[in-house]
Amino acid sequence: MPVISPSAFSSPVSRAVAANDAAASVPAVLREKVRRLEGANSAQRRGRAASVKLGIPAIDALLPEGGLLTGALHEIEAGPGPSGRVAPHDGAAMGFAAHLLGRFGPGTILWCRHASGPSDATPYAPALSSWFDPARLLMVMSRRDEDLFWAMEEGLRCPGIAAVLGETRAADPTAGRRLSLAAEKNGVPALLLRAQPGPPQSVCATRWRIISAPSASTPGLTDVGAARWRVELRRNRFGTPSADEIPSWLVEWNDETHCLAVVPQALHGPAGARFEERLVG
């Protein structure tokens, strides 16, 4: 027999107030857990994994679901080098972003850019080939930041898109929320790449700062060693550690295995202890 609740005859306003009161009584941690589960189910319904491992166990252990969430917004920014300045075109931040894009599986990679000037060149395809096939790349050039965010949001809704990246210096809280919701609904990761540190997006699941680090050349030779980056996890919304802690790792790229690995402490001690160091990447 159908059962009609007395609340069905109440006004829409009173029902909305009751719903808000009920939501307020639910702990914030539980609400976030339910939201993550809904996002994971959305990604799995579309044949995608809820998270993707970065291939670095020390970092994956801190991330929710043991990897980078696919249906979420992630932010990557360049950090200051040894001189204290940030390069206009930081290769370390772009390289880390390309590494993440290569982990998200098959499909088209949508890369949206807002050129900052005539000298702002597009990413170099042969360099990107270290992380993914450049033939998968679809590049969108926009004249305004509003157009860039619109293209990203539309790309997140398109079938066959593996990931969407936006390269911009702008920070729009409204656009950030829209991108986060579109990524969560469709199970497609969205990345914001900033060549300069900017106002952070509070809705992003993770925020990374990537800094070029001195590489180690072969003892007795004057060659340039493998690229090394200092990776800082400045925000980890659904994982550990707490917000007041910023874990940091020194990682090195291996051209043979096409993977990043944490450099052991013994190999990045005082300069000149075992290797000659040069800045690369």
Side-chain angles (χ1 to χ4, degrees), residues 24-57:
S25 64
V26 180
V29 176
L30 181 57
R31 289 202 303 270
E32 291 290 357
K33 185 175 181 180
V34 171
R35 197 195 69 80
R36 291 208 321 264
L37 291 174
E38 290 176 346
N41 291 335
S42 175
Q44 291 172 355
R45 283 196 301 270
R46 290 165 175 79
R48 299 175 182 269
S51 64
V52 172
K53 294 183 179 298
L54 273 65
I56 309 174

PDB file of all heavy atoms in Angstrom, residues 24-57:
ATOM      1  N   ALA A  24      22.935  19.364   7.470  1.00  0.00           N
ATOM      2  CA  ALA A  24      23.854  19.974   8.420  1.00  0.00           C
ATOM      3  C   ALA A  24      24.199  19.033   9.559  1.00  0.00           C
ATOM      4  O   ALA A  24      25.266  19.150  10.165  1.00  0.00           O
ATOM      5  CB  ALA A  24      23.235  21.261   8.973  1.00  0.00           C
ATOM      6  N   SER A  25      23.279  18.086   9.875  1.00  0.00           N
ATOM      7  CA  SER A  25      23.538  17.151  10.961  1.00  0.00           C
ATOM      8  C   SER A  25      24.512  16.047  10.571  1.00  0.00           C
ATOM      9  O   SER A  25      25.006  15.327  11.431  1.00  0.00           O
ATOM     10  CB  SER A  25      22.212  16.536  11.438  1.00  0.00           C
ATOM     11  OG  SER A  25      21.626  15.756  10.399  1.00  0.00           O
ATOM     12  N   VAL A  26      24.774  15.867   9.283  1.00  0.00           N
ATOM     13  CA  VAL A  26      25.705  14.847   8.809  1.00  0.00           C
ATOM     14  C   VAL A  26      27.127  15.393   8.908  1.00  0.00           C
ATOM     15  O   VAL A  26      27.401  16.485   8.429  1.00  0.00           O
ATOM     16  CB  VAL A  26      25.386  14.450   7.360  1.00  0.00           C
ATOM     17  CG1 VAL A  26      26.369  13.394   6.872  1.00  0.00           C
ATOM     18  CG2 VAL A  26      23.960  13.936   7.252  1.00  0.00           C
ATOM     19  N   PRO A  27      28.035  14.673   9.528  1.00  0.00           N
ATOM     20  CA  PRO A  27      29.415  15.163   9.645  1.00  0.00           C
ATOM     21  C   PRO A  27      30.021  15.453   8.281  1.00  0.00           C
ATOM     22  O   PRO A  27      29.735  14.772   7.287  1.00  0.00           O
ATOM     23  CB  PRO A  27      30.132  14.009  10.352  1.00  0.00           C
ATOM     24  CG  PRO A  27      29.046  13.243  11.046  1.00  0.00           C
ATOM     25  CD  PRO A  27      27.826  13.390  10.188  1.00  0.00           C
ATOM     26  N   ALA A  28      30.873  16.462   8.246  1.00  0.00           N
ATOM     27  CA  ALA A  28      31.491  16.860   6.978  1.00  0.00           C
ATOM     28  C   ALA A  28      32.343  15.736   6.399  1.00  0.00           C
ATOM     29  O   ALA A  28      32.383  15.537   5.186  1.00  0.00           O
ATOM     30  CB  ALA A  28      32.341  18.114   7.202  1.00  0.00           C
ATOM     31  N   VAL A  29      33.007  14.983   7.256  1.00  0.00           N
ATOM     32  CA  VAL A  29      33.849  13.876   6.775  1.00  0.00           C
ATOM     33  C   VAL A  29      33.009  12.832   6.070  1.00  0.00           C
ATOM     34  O   VAL A  29      33.398  12.291   5.023  1.00  0.00           O
ATOM     35  CB  VAL A  29      34.622  13.248   7.948  1.00  0.00           C
ATOM     36  CG1 VAL A  29      35.411  12.040   7.472  1.00  0.00           C
ATOM     37  CG2 VAL A  29      35.551  14.267   8.581  1.00  0.00           C
ATOM     38  N   LEU A  30      31.823  12.534   6.632  1.00  0.00           N
ATOM     39  CA  LEU A  30      30.940  11.536   6.022  1.00  0.00           C
ATOM     40  C   LEU A  30      30.408  12.034   4.685  1.00  0.00           C
ATOM     41  O   LEU A  30      30.300  11.267   3.717  1.00  0.00           O
ATOM     42  CB  LEU A  30      29.793  11.211   6.964  1.00  0.00           C
ATOM     43  CG  LEU A  30      28.789  10.153   6.477  1.00  0.00           C
ATOM     44  CD1 LEU A  30      29.507   8.847   6.168  1.00  0.00           C
ATOM     45  CD2 LEU A  30      27.697   9.943   7.517  1.00  0.00           C
ATOM     46  N   ARG A  31      30.072  13.331   4.602  1.00  0.00           N
ATOM     47  CA  ARG A  31      29.584  13.883   3.335  1.00  0.00           C
ATOM     48  C   ARG A  31      30.654  13.784   2.252  1.00  0.00           C
ATOM     49  O   ARG A  31      30.357  13.453   1.105  1.00  0.00           O
ATOM     50  CB  ARG A  31      29.162  15.343   3.537  1.00  0.00           C
ATOM     51  CG  ARG A  31      27.891  15.506   4.355  1.00  0.00           C
ATOM     52  CD  ARG A  31      27.241  16.857   4.083  1.00  0.00           C
ATOM     53  NE  ARG A  31      28.140  17.973   4.351  1.00  0.00           N
ATOM     54  CZ  ARG A  31      28.239  18.571   5.534  1.00  0.00           C
ATOM     55  NH1 ARG A  31      27.493  18.145   6.558  1.00  0.00           N
ATOM     56  NH2 ARG A  31      29.059  19.588   5.704  1.00  0.00           N
ATOM     57  N   GLU A  32      31.901  14.074   2.620  1.00  0.00           N
ATOM     58  CA  GLU A  32      32.983  13.981   1.638  1.00  0.00           C
ATOM     59  C   GLU A  32      33.190  12.536   1.202  1.00  0.00           C
ATOM     60  O   GLU A  32      33.468  12.258   0.032  1.00  0.00           O
ATOM     61  CB  GLU A  32      34.278  14.542   2.235  1.00  0.00           C
ATOM     62  CG  GLU A  32      34.272  16.045   2.450  1.00  0.00           C
ATOM     63  CD  GLU A  32      34.309  16.797   1.136  1.00  0.00           C
ATOM     64  OE1 GLU A  32      34.402  16.156   0.066  1.00  0.00           O
ATOM     65  OE2 GLU A  32      34.217  18.040   1.163  1.00  0.00           O
ATOM     66  N   LYS A  33      33.039  11.580   2.132  1.00  0.00           N
ATOM     67  CA  LYS A  33      33.205  10.166   1.789  1.00  0.00           C
ATOM     68  C   LYS A  33      32.128   9.718   0.818  1.00  0.00           C
ATOM     69  O   LYS A  33      32.407   9.016  -0.163  1.00  0.00           O
ATOM     70  CB  LYS A  33      33.167   9.313   3.054  1.00  0.00           C
ATOM     71  CG  LYS A  33      33.451   7.838   2.802  1.00  0.00           C
ATOM     72  CD  LYS A  33      33.521   7.068   4.106  1.00  0.00           C
ATOM     73  CE  LYS A  33      33.839   5.598   3.830  1.00  0.00           C
ATOM     74  NZ  LYS A  33      33.924   4.809   5.090  1.00  0.00           N
ATOM     75  N   VAL A  34      30.886  10.140   1.078  1.00  0.00           N
ATOM     76  CA  VAL A  34      29.786   9.795   0.170  1.00  0.00           C
ATOM     77  C   VAL A  34      30.023  10.410  -1.203  1.00  0.00           C
ATOM     78  O   VAL A  34      29.798   9.770  -2.237  1.00  0.00           O
ATOM     79  CB  VAL A  34      28.447  10.270   0.764  1.00  0.00           C
ATOM     80  CG1 VAL A  34      27.327  10.114  -0.255  1.00  0.00           C
ATOM     81  CG2 VAL A  34      28.127   9.486   2.026  1.00  0.00           C
ATOM     82  N   ARG A  35      30.493  11.666  -1.238  1.00  0.00           N
ATOM     83  CA  ARG A  35      30.749  12.327  -2.515  1.00  0.00           C
ATOM     84  C   ARG A  35      31.833  11.607  -3.304  1.00  0.00           C
ATOM     85  O   ARG A  35      31.727  11.447  -4.525  1.00  0.00           O
ATOM     86  CB  ARG A  35      31.157  13.786  -2.282  1.00  0.00           C
ATOM     87  CG  ARG A  35      31.050  14.662  -3.498  1.00  0.00           C
ATOM     88  CD  ARG A  35      31.787  15.959  -3.317  1.00  0.00           C
ATOM     89  NE  ARG A  35      33.213  15.735  -3.288  1.00  0.00           N
ATOM     90  CZ  ARG A  35      33.962  15.553  -4.373  1.00  0.00           C
ATOM     91  NH1 ARG A  35      33.411  15.575  -5.563  1.00  0.00           N
ATOM     92  NH2 ARG A  35      35.253  15.349  -4.281  1.00  0.00           N
ATOM     93  N   ARG A  36      32.870  11.130  -2.606  1.00  0.00           N
ATOM     94  CA  ARG A  36      33.946  10.396  -3.290  1.00  0.00           C
ATOM     95  C   ARG A  36      33.435   9.083  -3.852  1.00  0.00           C
ATOM     96  O   ARG A  36      33.790   8.688  -4.965  1.00  0.00           O
ATOM     97  CB  ARG A  36      35.107  10.132  -2.316  1.00  0.00           C
ATOM     98  CG  ARG A  36      35.869  11.374  -1.917  1.00  0.00           C
ATOM     99  CD  ARG A  36      37.318  11.069  -1.562  1.00  0.00           C
ATOM    100  NE  ARG A  36      37.492   9.834  -0.838  1.00  0.00           N
ATOM    101  CZ  ARG A  36      37.577   9.750   0.491  1.00  0.00           C
ATOM    102  NH1 ARG A  36      37.477  10.825   1.230  1.00  0.00           N
ATOM    103  NH2 ARG A  36      37.767   8.587   1.071  1.00  0.00           N
ATOM    104  N   LEU A  37      32.588   8.377  -3.081  1.00  0.00           N
ATOM    105  CA  LEU A  37      32.032   7.113  -3.558  1.00  0.00           C
ATOM    106  C   LEU A  37      31.156   7.328  -4.778  1.00  0.00           C
ATOM    107  O   LEU A  37      31.176   6.530  -5.727  1.00  0.00           O
ATOM    108  CB  LEU A  37      31.244   6.433  -2.437  1.00  0.00           C
ATOM    109  CG  LEU A  37      32.065   5.903  -1.264  1.00  0.00           C
ATOM    110  CD1 LEU A  37      31.146   5.385  -0.168  1.00  0.00           C
ATOM    111  CD2 LEU A  37      33.006   4.801  -1.720  1.00  0.00           C
ATOM    112  N   GLU A  38      30.369   8.402  -4.764  1.00  0.00           N
ATOM    113  CA  GLU A  38      29.530   8.710  -5.929  1.00  0.00           C
ATOM    114  C   GLU A  38      30.395   9.007  -7.141  1.00  0.00           C
ATOM    115  O   GLU A  38      30.089   8.581  -8.259  1.00  0.00           O
ATOM    116  CB  GLU A  38      28.629   9.902  -5.614  1.00  0.00           C
ATOM    117  CG  GLU A  38      27.537   9.582  -4.607  1.00  0.00           C
ATOM    118  CD  GLU A  38      26.730  10.817  -4.243  1.00  0.00           C
ATOM    119  OE1 GLU A  38      27.195  11.929  -4.570  1.00  0.00           O
ATOM    120  OE2 GLU A  38      25.654  10.665  -3.634  1.00  0.00           O
ATOM    121  N   GLY A  39      31.497   9.735  -6.941  1.00  0.00           N
ATOM    122  CA  GLY A  39      32.398  10.021  -8.048  1.00  0.00           C
ATOM    123  C   GLY A  39      33.056   8.769  -8.583  1.00  0.00           C
ATOM    124  O   GLY A  39      33.233   8.607  -9.786  1.00  0.00           O
ATOM    125  N   ALA A  40      33.418   7.847  -7.674  1.00  0.00           N
ATOM    126  CA  ALA A  40      34.038   6.594  -8.105  1.00  0.00           C
ATOM    127  C   ALA A  40      33.050   5.754  -8.903  1.00  0.00           C
ATOM    128  O   ALA A  40      33.396   5.164  -9.932  1.00  0.00           O
ATOM    129  CB  ALA A  40      34.536   5.816  -6.888  1.00  0.00           C
ATOM    130  N   ASN A  41      31.790   5.696  -8.438  1.00  0.00           N
ATOM    131  CA  ASN A  41      30.782   4.940  -9.176  1.00  0.00           C
ATOM    132  C   ASN A  41      30.530   5.544 -10.550  1.00  0.00           C
ATOM    133  O   ASN A  41      30.331   4.835 -11.537  1.00  0.00           O
ATOM    134  CB  ASN A  41      29.480   4.898  -8.374  1.00  0.00           C
ATOM    135  CG  ASN A  41      29.601   4.058  -7.116  1.00  0.00           C
ATOM    136  OD1 ASN A  41      30.439   3.161  -7.055  1.00  0.00           O
ATOM    137  ND2 ASN A  41      28.785   4.352  -6.114  1.00  0.00           N
ATOM    138  N   SER A  42      30.552   6.882 -10.632  1.00  0.00           N
ATOM    139  CA  SER A  42      30.366   7.551 -11.919  1.00  0.00           C
ATOM    140  C   SER A  42      31.484   7.187 -12.882  1.00  0.00           C
ATOM    141  O   SER A  42      31.248   6.921 -14.056  1.00  0.00           O
ATOM    142  CB  SER A  42      30.313   9.071 -11.721  1.00  0.00           C
ATOM    143  OG  SER A  42      30.245   9.736 -12.962  1.00  0.00           O
ATOM    144  N   ALA A  43      32.719   7.165 -12.380  1.00  0.00           N
ATOM    145  CA  ALA A  43      33.847   6.818 -13.244  1.00  0.00           C
ATOM    146  C   ALA A  43      33.779   5.360 -13.679  1.00  0.00           C
ATOM    147  O   ALA A  43      34.045   5.030 -14.835  1.00  0.00           O
ATOM    148  CB  ALA A  43      35.163   7.081 -12.505  1.00  0.00           C
ATOM    149  N   GLN A  44      33.406   4.467 -12.761  1.00  0.00           N
ATOM    150  CA  GLN A  44      33.358   3.047 -13.098  1.00  0.00           C
ATOM    151  C   GLN A  44      32.246   2.745 -14.082  1.00  0.00           C
ATOM    152  O   GLN A  44      32.368   1.856 -14.919  1.00  0.00           O
ATOM    153  CB  GLN A  44      33.209   2.234 -11.813  1.00  0.00           C
ATOM    154  CG  GLN A  44      34.457   2.275 -10.937  1.00  0.00           C
ATOM    155  CD  GLN A  44      34.247   1.636  -9.582  1.00  0.00           C
ATOM    156  OE1 GLN A  44      33.125   1.240  -9.244  1.00  0.00           O
ATOM    157  NE2 GLN A  44      35.309   1.539  -8.804  1.00  0.00           N
ATOM    158  N   ARG A  45      31.122   3.481 -13.981  1.00  0.00           N
ATOM    159  CA  ARG A  45      30.036   3.266 -14.949  1.00  0.00           C
ATOM    160  C   ARG A  45      30.474   3.613 -16.361  1.00  0.00           C
ATOM    161  O   ARG A  45      29.956   3.076 -17.335  1.00  0.00           O
ATOM    162  CB  ARG A  45      28.826   4.106 -14.549  1.00  0.00           C
ATOM    163  CG  ARG A  45      28.021   3.554 -13.385  1.00  0.00           C
ATOM    164  CD  ARG A  45      26.658   4.209 -13.324  1.00  0.00           C
ATOM    165  NE  ARG A  45      26.734   5.628 -13.170  1.00  0.00           N
ATOM    166  CZ  ARG A  45      26.770   6.259 -12.002  1.00  0.00           C
ATOM    167  NH1 ARG A  45      26.762   5.554 -10.885  1.00  0.00           N
ATOM    168  NH2 ARG A  45      26.814   7.577 -11.943  1.00  0.00           N
ATOM    169  N   ARG A  46      31.429   4.508 -16.484  1.00  0.00           N
ATOM    170  CA  ARG A  46      31.935   4.892 -17.800  1.00  0.00           C
ATOM    171  C   ARG A  46      33.163   4.081 -18.204  1.00  0.00           C
ATOM    172  O   ARG A  46      33.882   4.437 -19.124  1.00  0.00           O
ATOM    173  CB  ARG A  46      32.262   6.388 -17.811  1.00  0.00           C
ATOM    174  CG  ARG A  46      31.008   7.249 -17.764  1.00  0.00           C
ATOM    175  CD  ARG A  46      31.303   8.686 -17.426  1.00  0.00           C
ATOM    176  NE  ARG A  46      30.097   9.506 -17.505  1.00  0.00           N
ATOM    177  CZ  ARG A  46      29.172   9.548 -16.557  1.00  0.00           C
ATOM    178  NH1 ARG A  46      29.312   8.823 -15.474  1.00  0.00           N
ATOM    179  NH2 ARG A  46      28.101  10.307 -16.694  1.00  0.00           N
ATOM    180  N   GLY A  47      33.422   2.985 -17.486  1.00  0.00           N
ATOM    181  CA  GLY A  47      34.526   2.105 -17.843  1.00  0.00           C
ATOM    182  C   GLY A  47      35.880   2.666 -17.481  1.00  0.00           C
ATOM    183  O   GLY A  47      36.880   2.265 -18.058  1.00  0.00           O
ATOM    184  N   ARG A  48      35.945   3.592 -16.508  1.00  0.00           N
ATOM    185  CA  ARG A  48      37.205   4.188 -16.096  1.00  0.00           C
ATOM    186  C   ARG A  48      37.517   3.800 -14.657  1.00  0.00           C
ATOM    187  O   ARG A  48      36.629   3.551 -13.854  1.00  0.00           O
ATOM    188  CB  ARG A  48      37.145   5.722 -16.192  1.00  0.00           C
ATOM    189  CG  ARG A  48      36.877   6.264 -17.585  1.00  0.00           C
ATOM    190  CD  ARG A  48      36.717   7.769 -17.530  1.00  0.00           C
ATOM    191  NE  ARG A  48      36.413   8.338 -18.837  1.00  0.00           N
ATOM    192  CZ  ARG A  48      37.327   8.759 -19.694  1.00  0.00           C
ATOM    193  NH1 ARG A  48      38.603   8.677 -19.377  1.00  0.00           N
ATOM    194  NH2 ARG A  48      36.989   9.263 -20.864  1.00  0.00           N
ATOM    195  N   ALA A  49      38.811   3.782 -14.348  1.00  0.00           N
ATOM    196  CA  ALA A  49      39.210   3.555 -12.967  1.00  0.00           C
ATOM    197  C   ALA A  49      38.944   4.817 -12.161  1.00  0.00           C
ATOM    198  O   ALA A  49      39.030   5.929 -12.671  1.00  0.00           O
ATOM    199  CB  ALA A  49      40.692   3.176 -12.901  1.00  0.00           C
ATOM    200  N   ALA A  50      38.612   4.634 -10.889  1.00  0.00           N
ATOM    201  CA  ALA A  50      38.346   5.790 -10.040  1.00  0.00           C
ATOM    202  C   ALA A  50      39.615   6.571  -9.745  1.00  0.00           C
ATOM    203  O   ALA A  50      39.565   7.759  -9.454  1.00  0.00           O
ATOM    204  CB  ALA A  50      37.698   5.345  -8.731  1.00  0.00           C
ATOM    205  N   SER A  51      40.760   5.919  -9.818  1.00  0.00           N
ATOM    206  CA  SER A  51      42.044   6.581  -9.590  1.00  0.00           C
ATOM    207  C   SER A  51      43.108   5.921 -10.441  1.00  0.00           C
ATOM    208  O   SER A  51      42.963   4.772 -10.865  1.00  0.00           O
ATOM    209  CB  SER A  51      42.433   6.526  -8.113  1.00  0.00           C
ATOM    210  OG  SER A  51      42.631   5.179  -7.706  1.00  0.00           O
ATOM    211  N   VAL A  52      44.173   6.655 -10.693  1.00  0.00           N
ATOM    212  CA  VAL A  52      45.289   6.165 -11.508  1.00  0.00           C
ATOM    213  C   VAL A  52      46.580   6.357 -10.725  1.00  0.00           C
ATOM    214  O   VAL A  52      46.844   7.454 -10.212  1.00  0.00           O
ATOM    215  CB  VAL A  52      45.365   6.920 -12.861  1.00  0.00           C
ATOM    216  CG1 VAL A  52      46.626   6.539 -13.619  1.00  0.00           C
ATOM    217  CG2 VAL A  52      44.133   6.626 -13.701  1.00  0.00           C
ATOM    218  N   LYS A  53      47.366   5.323 -10.629  1.00  0.00           N
ATOM    219  CA  LYS A  53      48.621   5.394  -9.890  1.00  0.00           C
ATOM    220  C   LYS A  53      49.646   6.235 -10.649  1.00  0.00           C
ATOM    221  O   LYS A  53      49.739   6.153 -11.874  1.00  0.00           O
ATOM    222  CB  LYS A  53      49.177   3.990  -9.639  1.00  0.00           C
ATOM    223  CG  LYS A  53      48.314   3.136  -8.713  1.00  0.00           C
ATOM    224  CD  LYS A  53      48.966   1.799  -8.453  1.00  0.00           C
ATOM    225  CE  LYS A  53      48.118   0.945  -7.516  1.00  0.00           C
ATOM    226  NZ  LYS A  53      47.961   1.585  -6.199  1.00  0.00           N
ATOM    227  N   LEU A  54      50.411   7.014  -9.897  1.00  0.00           N
ATOM    228  CA  LEU A  54      51.481   7.793 -10.496  1.00  0.00           C
ATOM    229  C   LEU A  54      52.716   6.951 -10.761  1.00  0.00           C
ATOM    230  O   LEU A  54      53.628   7.369 -11.460  1.00  0.00           O
ATOM    231  CB  LEU A  54      51.866   8.972  -9.591  1.00  0.00           C
ATOM    232  CG  LEU A  54      51.066  10.272  -9.759  1.00  0.00           C
ATOM    233  CD1 LEU A  54      49.619  10.076  -9.358  1.00  0.00           C
ATOM    234  CD2 LEU A  54      51.688  11.393  -8.957  1.00  0.00           C
ATOM    235  N   GLY A  55      52.765   5.741 -10.177  1.00  0.00           N
ATOM    236  CA  GLY A  55      53.928   4.877 -10.351  1.00  0.00           C
ATOM    237  C   GLY A  55      55.034   5.170  -9.359  1.00  0.00           C
ATOM    238  O   GLY A  55      56.135   4.634  -9.483  1.00  0.00           O
ATOM    239  N   ILE A  56      54.759   6.028  -8.368  1.00  0.00           N
ATOM    240  CA  ILE A  56      55.723   6.353  -7.314  1.00  0.00           C
ATOM    241  C   ILE A  56      55.079   5.928  -5.997  1.00  0.00           C
ATOM    242  O   ILE A  56      54.222   6.639  -5.459  1.00  0.00           O
ATOM    243  CB  ILE A  56      56.062   7.853  -7.293  1.00  0.00           C
ATOM    244  CG1 ILE A  56      56.447   8.329  -8.704  1.00  0.00           C
ATOM    245  CG2 ILE A  56      57.186   8.153  -6.315  1.00  0.00           C
ATOM    246  CD1 ILE A  56      56.661   9.827  -8.801  1.00  0.00           C
ATOM    247  N   PRO A  57      55.457   4.770  -5.436  1.00  0.00           N
ATOM    248  CA  PRO A  57      54.768   4.243  -4.250  1.00  0.00           C
ATOM    249  C   PRO A  57      54.704   5.227  -3.091  1.00  0.00           C
ATOM    250  O   PRO A  57      53.684   5.299  -2.390  1.00  0.00           O
ATOM    251  CB  PRO A  57      55.598   2.998  -3.890  1.00  0.00           C
ATOM    252  CG  PRO A  57      56.206   2.571  -5.191  1.00  0.00           C
ATOM    253  CD  PRO A  57      56.489   3.843  -5.935  1.00  0.00           C
TER     254      PRO A  57
END
